[in-house]
Amino acid sequence: MTSTPMPAPTATTPVAPGSVAPSDSGLQSGPLTSPPPRIATGTPMIAIDNVSKWYGDFQVLTNCTTQVAKGEVVVVCGPSGSGKSTLIKCVNALEPIQKGQITVNDTKVVDKATDLPKLRSRVGMVFQHFELFPHLSITENLTVAQRKVLKRPAEEAKKKGMDLLARVGLSAHADKYPGQLSGGQQQRVAIARALAMNPVVMLFDEPTSALDPEMVGEVLDVMVELAKEGMTMMVVTHEMGFARKVADRVIFMDRGEIVEDARKEDFFGQPRSERAQQFLSKILQH
Amino acid sequence: MNYNWNWGIFFEPSPEGTGTYADMLLSGLVWTIATALSSWVIAFFLGSLVGVMRTLPSKAANAVGTAYVELFRNIPLLVQMFLWYFVLPEVLPQSWGNALKQLPNAPFYTGVVCLGFFTASRVAEQVRAGIQSLPRGQGLAGTAMGFTVYQTYRYVLLPNAYRVILPPMTSEFLNNLKNTSVALTIGLLELTARARSMQEFSFQVFEAFTAATILYVLINLFVIVLASLLERSVAVPGQR
């Protein structure tokens, strides 16, 4: 399965000519991290620049640098403890960083002058454990931040919430509470809740790893839709099927470092780092 | 035991000249309830504030919150009553001290403040435990949606934390209610003080304290019924 060649990228994901993988799949020399392919022109939507982070003396991120262009879907994978969730949480400053800079839509994250709540309201985030607010109905979950953060009128917020709930196929559950929904349904509501804020970027932190297997598909379907619509997405996941289907690029992390940052075709075709090869052979052998 | 039981004593006029012994006990009950409710208002809001401070990332807020809790829960309530009532007016500037001493119903106000501050330290710990019992992702989710720290607490953390701690908070309310009896030492004529004076006037010690006991138990049972109704009305569908 690992050697299956990838289909050509679709028209929505143009590939810069300079970044085509070398045809020789033998041992590569030079740095393992290829420069991120420039897909879109202009400034990237997310620019992660030389970011390092420590928990006390323990370094969780080491000199991470990458970019996500507008409309790009980037999958971040790696063994557990490799810092991928931490990295994605740094993008909207849920985790502080000690070194480096992150820029989201031209706004610097590490800057005292930055209005972080405002920045975060434009960055949608979906969590592993959904994190719907259990005491609020589905409708209230979808509208509370629209009303309190964006100051939308209640009517408008509700309309927006209901439209999105319909899009994830859960209109019938508007008046239920999160505890009355299945995990897959909760995660779809969580995606709708994030979309209700009109985000410019969506971050997904292992959105399917807490789900029963039969519910993974319904959540991935929503994410695939979103990717097709041109949403800029950064997705931490182990779902390699999803990565093959919609990702433009795959970032492989290990021990806090970005070990490999490659176009999907290159990553699955011939990962250049030994660690990425080992990782892929482990998760793709079944 | 050589004791003259006299259950009719409640309907005999008290030496105060304005009613029966039963009236005397009931006026004590009214002061007990007034003290308990007023001090609970202080305990609830101040305790919630201190409890929240102890969960904030700010080291300064943490230190203030911790200092408050450790100060007020480590001094016996009785000693705190004496400190507020007898010591505070002496250490304040003289005019303030005199104003305090001349305050009408001084034992009531002092008792309310003292009990409120004392119970607040216990409420603070309940609130802190409640907030910390929530998944860390809840706060992150609120923050990630653009809520400020205040909004995250107001709309996400506190509504859930209060639901979690409703049972122990009921206990704190009951403790607060029973602790009003300590205020008799600074001259508040609440239920226990009234039972004691009834005993001293009439020598019917068993009747007086039986009545006080029953009144305390009844009012606490009433609180428990209210609390379980509250618990049911704020229960979240589909949880637990």
Side-chain angles (χ1 to χ4, degrees), chain A residues 89 92 94-95 117-118 120-121 123 125 127 130-136 141 144-145 148-149 151 177-180 193-194 197, chain B residues 134-149 151 154-160 163 234-239:
Chain A
K89 284 189 181 116
N92 58 352
L94 289 185
E95 295 276 3
K118 192 175 171 200
R120 292 182 182 121
S121 72
V123 178
M125 185 151 203
F127 294 86
F130 334 132
E131 306 301 351
L132 294 178
F133 305 137
H135 62 297
L136 300 178
N141 263 286
V144 62
K148 304 299 178 189
V149 178
K151 312 285 181 203
Y177 284 78
Q180 296 169 308
R193 178 177 72 170
M197 305 292 283
Chain B
L134 302 175
R136 184 167 169 266
Q138 284 284 301
L140 288 183
T143 308
M145 304 201 65
F147 283 150
T148 59
V149 173
Q151 287 176 319
R154 166 69 184 80
Y155 298 115
V156 182
L157 298 179
L158 286 177
N160 284 305
R163 282 178 169 85
V234 301
V236 173
Q239 271 208 310

Side-chain angles (χ1 to χ4, degrees), chain B residues 74-110:
Chain B
N74 289 329
I75 301 172
L77 178 58
L78 184 59
V79 175
Q80 291 192 34
M81 284 285 175
F82 290 165
L83 289 174
W84 283 102
Y85 193 68
F86 298 117
V87 179
L88 184 68
E90 305 302 332
V91 296
L92 285 177
Q94 198 168 12
S95 57
W96 293 18
N98 286 339
L100 272 187
K101 288 180 205 167
Q102 286 154 13
L103 200 69
N105 289 326
F108 171 70
Y109 294 116
T110 311

Side-chain angles (χ1 to χ4, degrees), chain B:
Chain B
M1 188 172 68
N2 193 9
Y3 184 75
N4 285 323
W5 290 94
N6 177 13
W7 289 104
I9 183 74
F10 296 114
F11 305 104
E12 290 173 20
S14 75
E16 283 181 335
T18 52
T20 61
Y21 280 111
D23 293 332
M24 202 167 110
L25 287 179
L26 286 178
S27 95
L29 182 66
V30 170
W31 279 109
T32 292
I33 293 171
T35 310
L37 291 179
S38 313
S39 58
W40 182 254
V41 172
I42 296 177
F44 181 80
F45 287 104
L46 181 62
S48 295
L49 180 70
V50 174
V52 164
M53 283 170 83
R54 293 196 78 183
T55 64
L56 290 174
S58 152
K59 281 204 173 88
N62 253 290
V64 172
T66 307
Y68 180 92
V69 168
E70 299 311 346
L71 179 65
F72 282 92
R73 75 172 173 185
N74 289 329
I75 301 172
L77 178 58
L78 184 59
V79 175
Q80 291 192 34
M81 284 285 175
F82 290 165
L83 289 174
W84 283 102
Y85 193 68
F86 298 117
V87 179
L88 184 68
E90 305 302 332
V91 296
L92 285 177
Q94 198 168 12
S95 57
W96 293 18
N98 286 339
L100 272 187
K101 288 180 205 167
Q102 286 154 13
L103 200 69
N105 289 326
F108 171 70
Y109 294 116
T110 311
V112 164
V113 169
C114 172
L115 204 51
F117 276 52
F118 172 78
T119 309
S121 69
R122 305 178 51 94
V123 169
E125 285 300 90
Q126 304 284 8
V127 169
R128 178 169 77 97
I131 291 170
Q132 288 175 344
S133 77
L134 302 175
R136 184 167 169 266
Q138 284 284 301
L140 288 183
T143 308
M145 304 201 65
F147 283 150
T148 59
V149 173
Y150 170 80
Q151 287 176 319
T152 305
Y153 276 89
R154 166 69 184 80
Y155 298 115
V156 182
L157 298 179
L158 286 177
N160 284 305
Y162 282 134
R163 282 178 169 85
V164 172
I165 61 170
L166 197 52
M169 284 286 266
T170 307
S171 292
E172 292 304 340
F173 186 92
L174 296 175
N175 274 337
N176 185 64
L177 198 150
K178 289 173 288 187
N179 282 340
T180 55
S181 59
V182 178
L184 79 85
T185 57
I186 58 169
L188 182 67
L189 293 178
E190 46 66 66
L191 182 55
T192 308
R194 289 309 211 164
R196 279 190 56 195
S197 48
M198 175 174 166
Q199 168 224 327
E200 276 159 15
F201 287 135
S202 68
F203 302 106
Q204 302 293 347
V205 57
F206 286 103
E207 289 85 343
F209 280 99
T210 304
T213 304
I214 289 172
L215 286 173
Y216 275 121
V217 169
L218 282 181
I219 191 159
N220 284 343
L221 288 175
F222 178 69
V223 169
I224 289 165
V225 170
L226 283 187
S228 64
L229 287 179
L230 179 65
E231 213 169 315
R232 216 172 302 163
S233 77
V234 301
V236 173
Q239 271 208 310
R240 274 172 266 273

